[in-house]
Each structure stands twice: as C-alpha cells, then as structure tokens.
Amino acid sequence: MSAQINAAVPVEPGVRTPIPRRHQELTTRRMNAMRFGYAFMGVGIVVVKWPVLCRTLDRCR
C-alpha cells in the first residue's frame, strides 16, 4: 500500500527521503522518563485506592 502512495509522489533527483524505521530503540533518557512515569502512576493508584481496599476488607470481617 505504501508503494502506491510513494509512486504517485514525484521525487526530485538528489533529494534524500528518510527511510521509515520500524524497530527504533528508545534512548536511555527516554526509557528512564517512561519508567519514572509508570512508577509515578503506579504509586498514585496505590495512594488513591489503598484506603478503599482497606475499608472494603474491614467490612468483610
């Protein structure tokens, strides 16, 4: 399908088009930022939901 799209676009000689990469690796900085974000969300969920869980368990006893 992408070959059809690229075939319709005229390409000027000497112009380099970027090759799409399917398996790009994240830099260490971005990977650590993602890890921090997921950890932050996880801690937030625990802080918000833990009291609800404790109240529910106390009612079950």
Side-chain angles (χ1 to χ4, degrees):
M1 183 174 203
S2 62
Q4 294 172 351
I5 293 171
N6 290 340
V9 177
V11 179
E12 297 178 22
V15 176
R16 299 177 81 185
T17 57
I19 299 171
R21 296 181 187 173
R22 293 185 181 184
H23 301 288
Q24 289 182 337
E25 293 185 15
L26 293 176
T27 62
T28 303
R29 185 176 186 165
R30 281 188 164 185
M31 181 64 77
N32 288 335
M34 288 182 61
R35 288 175 181 156
F36 174 78
Y38 280 116
F40 184 76
M41 286 190 295
V43 169
I45 289 172
V46 168
V47 168
V48 171
K49 294 296 182 181
W50 191 259
V52 175
L53 179 63
C54 289
R55 277 186 261 146
T56 303
L57 290 177
D58 286 340
R59 289 182 193 163
C60 294
R61 290 183 188 173

